[in-house]
Amino acid sequence: MELQIFISKKGTKVVTASNLHLVLGISNQHYSSNVKKWLCDVYEFRDGIRKPEYMKDYSKRPSKDNLLDDYYLSVELAKMITLNSKSKVKQKFANWLFNLENKFENTEFLTTEQVISVLELTKVMGLVSCQAACEKQHHKTYEERNSGSAANWWNFRSEVLGYSAEQLKKAMQMNGKKANGKSQRQMLMLVDKYEMVRTAVIDLFMALGKSERYAQNLGDLAKVFAKELNIEIFDDRGSFANFAPPLNSELAGEVKNLKNSRYRQLWETPKMAS
């Protein structure tokens, strides 16, 4: 028995509650109560521990008959429901949903607009003001997810980025350069300036609530673009702002303030069709 995947007009991949219930081999007698529990339970989503949200994680499936309520479920929600079930075949379908989800996490489904957006982001991330703003917003998001605490912030961020201040200091020493008194950004400038662009992009997408893997993959892509474009790093803060190179000012402004615009909307989770 196959688990059917539906694709909404906006490209969101979903499964139906009725089909998932069927393939898991759960008694039809308990369908209504099981689905109600699925939608009211608490799960560990990529953006935090919470209950499923209507029009984000699930939506009502239109039906000609009203005998049983059916719903569209996001792939992420369907995977967690499957793992929490007592079905004898849950491993098979959980793995299948996990692999499908991985394709999204590994950015295999980026649209042309999104690829162009990463390219434009790469350019503005050469501005130190944008880099600093993304780091600050990532820090804010981390605090919000951890009940206002940022006690483990630097360790967490180091794990996400793949390097720490100590590792940068060692890299500086190996290159015969002094690290004393230098910030991470200053050390990166001397060790690998394109990593500054990657770091900023990762900070941005972590701030937007994306998963670590998704943010890392987009950061890696931005670093490739940065090398190809030979992006220069420019500290446009303070009195140097008037000397910043001509770039996409609208995008730079959004990166600094994370306001809603057509750029951010490209990366928001599509609303599920009702």
Side-chain angles (χ1 to χ4, degrees):
M1 191 173 297
E2 297 294 330
L3 184 58
Q4 296 178 318
I5 296 294
F6 295 87
I7 303 177
S8 73
K9 293 179 180 179
K10 292 188 176 181
T12 309
K13 286 183 169 54
V14 297
V15 303
T16 63
S18 58
N19 185 218
L20 181 62
H21 198 272
L22 182 64
V23 299
L24 290 178
I26 304 173
S27 172
N28 291 333
Q29 181 180 354
H30 304 293
Y31 172 79
S32 295
S33 59
N34 285 336
V35 172
K36 184 177 180 180
K37 183 178 183 299
W38 289 353
L39 302 182
C40 295
D41 213 340
V42 176
Y43 305 93
E44 186 176 359
F45 288 91
R46 290 192 300 268
D47 61 356
I49 299 174
R50 57 177 176 80
K51 292 183 178 182
E53 296 179 11
Y54 184 65
M55 296 303 290
K56 179 178 182 180
D57 306 300
Y58 72 95
S59 67
K60 188 74 177 292
R61 184 187 186 189
S63 177
K64 294 181 180 179
D65 58 70
N66 296 318
L67 296 177
L68 289 174
D69 288 334
D70 200 2
Y71 298 86
Y72 289 118
L73 310 174
S74 70
V75 171
E76 183 182 16
L77 176 57
K79 180 192 69 176
M80 291 185 290
I81 288 172
T82 301
L83 286 172
N84 288 344
S85 74
K86 296 180 180 180
S87 170
K88 295 180 180 179
V89 293
K90 69 178 183 180
Q91 184 174 355
K92 169 187 173 182
F93 288 105
N95 282 332
W96 189 83
L97 288 164
F98 177 79
N99 290 331
L100 180 63
E101 190 179 26
N102 269 348
K103 292 183 178 180
F104 290 98
E105 292 295 299
N106 292 328
T107 64
E108 292 180 23
F109 289 97
L110 288 183
T111 65
T112 301
E113 284 184 299
Q114 287 175 326
V115 173
I116 293 174
S117 178
V118 175
L119 182 63
E120 292 300 313
L121 279 172
T122 300
K123 297 174 184 177
V124 301
M125 289 308 187
L127 299 177
V128 174
S129 62
C130 288
Q131 298 171 12
C134 290
E135 179 182 338
K136 183 178 180 180
Q137 189 61 38
H138 183 186
H139 181 273
K140 180 181 177 182
T141 300
Y142 179 85
E143 280 190 327
E144 291 173 350
R145 288 183 173 181
N146 290 273
S147 304
S149 172
N152 196 44
W153 158 248
W154 287 111
N155 289 333
F156 170 79
R157 186 168 180 263
S158 293
E159 290 178 3
V160 173
L161 297 177
Y163 63 84
S164 65
E166 289 302 316
Q167 289 172 320
L168 288 177
K169 289 178 181 178
K170 290 180 180 178
M172 291 278 287
Q173 292 171 356
M174 290 178 65
N175 291 331
K177 299 173 182 177
K178 295 182 179 180
N180 293 340
K182 289 184 171 59
S183 66
Q184 284 197 26
R185 187 171 289 110
Q186 290 171 327
M187 288 190 286
L188 278 176
M189 185 66 187
L190 296 171
V191 173
D192 183 359
K193 68 177 183 179
Y194 300 120
E195 183 63 26
M196 298 171 73
V197 173
R198 174 182 176 271
T199 295
V201 171
I202 291 175
D203 277 331
L204 174 65
F205 284 97
M206 289 296 291
L208 290 175
K210 301 301 181 182
S211 69
E212 294 174 24
R213 183 168 50 190
Y214 193 87
Q216 289 163 348
N217 286 331
L218 289 177
D220 292 343
L221 178 60
K223 186 173 182 178
V224 171
F225 286 154
K227 289 180 178 179
E228 289 296 321
L229 297 171
N230 193 25
I231 296 296
E232 293 297 331
I233 306 300
F234 184 84
D235 192 345
D236 58 323
R237 298 172 296 180
S239 59
F240 296 101
N242 294 330
F243 299 96
L247 294 169
N248 187 328
S249 58
E250 181 184 352
L251 179 56
E254 183 200 350
V255 164
K256 295 174 185 177
N257 299 300
L258 287 186
K259 293 179 180 178
N260 285 320
S261 76
R262 65 187 184 89
Y263 294 103
R264 178 170 181 169
Q265 290 169 5
L266 287 172
W267 305 101
E268 291 181 342
T269 303
K271 297 293 184 182
M272 299 181 68
S274 59

